[in-house]
Amino acid sequence: MNGDAGIIIVGAGECGARAALGLRENGYRRKITLIGDEVHLPYERPPLSKKVLLDHAEPRLPAVLNDLALAEKAIRHIGGASADAIDAAGKRLILSDGRALSYDKLLLTTGAAPRRLANTPASSRILYLRTMDDAIALRSHIRANMHVAVLGGGFIGLEVAASARSYGAKVTVIESQERILKRGVPELIAETITALHQRNGVAVKCGVAVLGIEADERHVGISLSDGKVIAADVLVVGIGAQPRTELAVKTGIAVDNGIAVNEHLETSIADIFAAGDCCSFPHPLYGGRRLRLEAWRNAQDQGILAAANLMGAARCYQAVPYFWSDQFDHTLQIAGLVDEGRTVVRRDLDDGAFILFHLDAEQRLVAASGVGPGNRIAKDIKLSEMLIAKRIMPPIEALTDGVNLKSLLPKAA
Ligand SMILES: Cc1cc2nc3c(=O)[nH]c(=O)nc-3n(C[C@H](O)[C@H](O)[C@H](O)COP(=O)(O)OP(=O)(O)OC[C@H]3O[C@@H](n4cnc5c(N)ncnc54)[C@H](O)[C@@H]3O)c2cc1C
């Protein structure tokens, strides 16, 4: 122990905030300090590409913790402060303003940052989306009749495209792969999403590389490998994110596609844990395969589990990976890991919605993915998640025939 140093959490995002709350919920009575380099209170990121862009009224911070909650829970939030170094031997964290804070245990929830495009001119018309400030900047550029180009047919790019269309903007999505959503999303679902965007007036260009970008403070010109030049008012770059590992690397903490943690979310240095988008962890459901997830539920669940383990619970992280995305009136959801599947079985629901069940070589359910309007797929995905967690090998006819998935769960569940 280090006097009354308590627990310091670096990174005041979803995961850090949930961990701080989790510590208090578990009865932790000592100091909790939550440090974030953004000036805002901890907030949710999913609304940034959806509600914050879509609402025509002034956006409000989708806060996870407000000042009152911080005061009630006695959580000290230091905003606008970057943690620059860790003195692991002396158990001290050094902030960018030179302050040194002592800790008993440290949790790193530093998240991820957008991958940047190399060799682009400096221009306020080339934008990324990770933070509330990014979303506010982007909103100011989305207007009817403006041309919004989106580079990258991943979730964030597609959500921005859908939101921009709701303002009547002209929207072009540029994707270098032969289809959108290449990473972790089945082709059938990507086709449905492509058709959804096209129906709603988005131009989706796949299989084209960007050869060059010219930009000033009013326009962006994007030269493509098919010889075309897209003239846009704004370019939103959504080409993936990278884990923020710089502090861990400086400290000598092992990194492997993110801060490498064990099943208890402990890093390679004693009393330092990591959780959320910044970390990679072994998943027991998938033979200990090391994963790094960029998903809201994972950030929450790992924050809560890290809180318990910081207090000595030694619980193993084994939640089924889960992700959703909202685009136009459709929701896409994925539980489990699609690429672990060998066989795909389809179940059709009402209104064009469908679920794909992904089974491994032994017919064990390893993932379920689905897309459809409104909430159509939610129940089946939720039940699939429970089946995946229980390693169930469901009869194929039960999956195709619309049998209530609940009946496939063990009776005690
Ligand atoms: C626009 C957008 C839409 C999304 N939509 C969905 C969705 O629909 N569904 C879904 O499942 N997931 C979605 N996600 C992903 C989800 O929001 C993330 O997985 C989640 O926010 C990760 O939480 P985190 O706390 O691990 O990291 P973050 O939320 O990134 O928080 C990390 C914080 O740490 C700070 N930090 C980093 N280094 C330091 C340092 N050295 N010192 C101090 N502070 C530091 C960062 O600035 C940041 O504020 C979306 C993400 C984005 C950006």
Side-chain angles (χ1 to χ4, degrees):
M1 291 269 172
N2 206 351
D4 184 30
I7 291 173
I8 299 185
I9 303 169
V10 178
E14 184 73 45
C15 187
R18 297 292 162 190
L21 284 170
L23 285 165
R24 286 293 180 241
E25 271 154 32
N26 294 338
Y28 186 76
R29 287 168 184 271
R30 305 178 68 213
K31 268 197 217 160
I32 302 175
T33 310
L34 181 58
I35 295 167
D37 58 6
E38 293 183 62
V39 291
H40 304 291
L41 290 165
Y43 61 90
E44 312 266 10
R45 291 182 204 278
L48 301 184
S49 45
K50 309 173 185 76
K51 196 169 187 304
V52 171
L53 293 185
L54 283 168
D55 268 5
H56 290 239
E58 264 315 289
R60 290 178 46 188
L61 185 79
V64 184
L65 273 172
N66 58 24
D67 286 317
L68 184 65
L70 286 164
E72 273 175 8
K73 305 278 178 198
I75 297 167
R76 180 182 179 209
H77 172 236
I78 306 181
S82 171
D84 264 10
I86 300 167
D87 163 15
K91 289 199 158 181
R92 288 182 328 145
L93 182 78
I94 319 298
L95 302 189
S96 48
D97 60 12
R99 267 181 290 176
L101 307 178
S102 295
Y103 64 83
D104 292 324
K105 296 201 178 162
L106 185 65
L107 172 62
L108 303 178
T109 56
T110 47
R115 187 167 283 130
R116 300 263 152 186
L117 257 189
N119 305 323
T120 41
S123 162
S124 62
R125 296 292 176 129
I126 301 177
L127 295 147
Y128 295 81
L129 179 55
R130 180 79 195 178
T131 65
M132 183 68 184
D133 295 345
D134 293 340
I136 289 169
L138 178 54
R139 270 174 62 91
S140 71
H141 288 297
I142 299 181
R143 295 277 177 276
N145 305 322
M146 281 183 108
H147 187 176
V148 177
V150 175
L151 185 57
F155 290 112
I156 290 182
L158 292 168
E159 288 187 357
V160 168
S163 299
R165 276 301 295 148
S166 82
Y167 285 85
K170 178 179 174 186
V171 179
T172 306
V173 172
I174 304 158
E175 168 58 59
S176 62
Q177 304 275 350
E178 71 281 9
R179 69 161 170 97
I180 58 164
L181 297 173
K182 193 76 205 271
R183 203 163 52 110
V185 179
E187 194 164 351
L188 267 175
I189 292 189
E191 280 169 10
T192 305
I193 297 284
T194 303
L196 173 72
H197 276 260
Q198 288 170 335
R199 267 200 317 280
N200 282 283
V202 176
V204 182
K205 286 175 81 70
C206 292
V208 280
V210 172
L211 299 183
I213 293 177
E214 285 179 5
D216 56 25
E217 288 305 309
R218 293 166 61 94
H219 302 290
V220 187
I222 307 132
S223 306
L224 300 178
S225 55
D226 63 1
K228 303 236 164 56
V229 178
I230 308 258
D233 296 287
V234 63
L235 172 65
V236 183
V237 182
I239 54 171
Q242 286 175 318
R244 291 195 55 184
T245 56
E246 56 274 18
L247 184 59
V249 169
K250 254 194 203 174
T251 313
I253 294 172
V255 166
D256 176 3
N257 179 31
I259 304 171
V261 295
N262 65 13
E263 64 278 24
H264 301 134
L265 306 178
E266 293 165 309
T267 70
S268 59
I269 293 189
D271 295 329
I272 305 183
F273 292 64
D277 280 18
C278 69
C279 82
S280 72
F281 61 97
H283 204 302
L285 266 183
Y286 301 101
R289 174 175 163 189
R290 184 162 283 279
L291 305 178
R292 189 178 71 77
L293 301 175
E294 287 170 17
W296 177 85
R297 169 102 71 78
N298 178 68
Q300 270 208 347
D301 289 349
Q302 286 196 338
I304 292 165
L305 188 112
N309 287 355
L310 283 159
M311 295 173 68
R315 285 197 347 231
C316 180
Y317 187 74
Q318 52 192 2
V320 174
Y322 168 83
F323 185 87
W324 91 94
S325 172
D326 297 329
Q327 296 166 40
F328 298 107
D329 62 340
H330 275 51
T331 293
L332 175 168
Q333 294 186 25
I334 300 179
L337 298 181
V338 166
D339 67 357
E340 290 279 331
R342 295 292 166 268
T343 315
V344 178
V345 177
R346 176 174 173 144
R347 167 180 287 199
D348 286 300
L349 306 172
D350 294 342
D351 300 322
F354 65 91
I355 307 269
L356 302 176
F357 298 100
H358 305 262
L359 306 161
D360 71 6
E362 292 167 349
Q363 303 279 13
R364 178 171 288 123
L365 187 66
V366 287
S369 54
V371 65
N375 235 1
R376 299 291 189 288
I377 58 167
K379 183 174 161 222
D380 277 354
I381 293 283
K382 182 75 216 155
L383 288 165
S384 299
E385 201 182 313
M386 295 161 86
L387 293 169
I388 296 166
K390 300 246 175 261
R391 299 168 180 271
I392 302 291
M393 297 183 192
I396 293 206
E397 323 74 68
L399 299 178
T400 49
D401 292 354
V403 162
N404 185 344
L405 296 176
K406 201 170 176 188
S407 68
L408 305 175
L409 282 164
K411 287 290 165 272

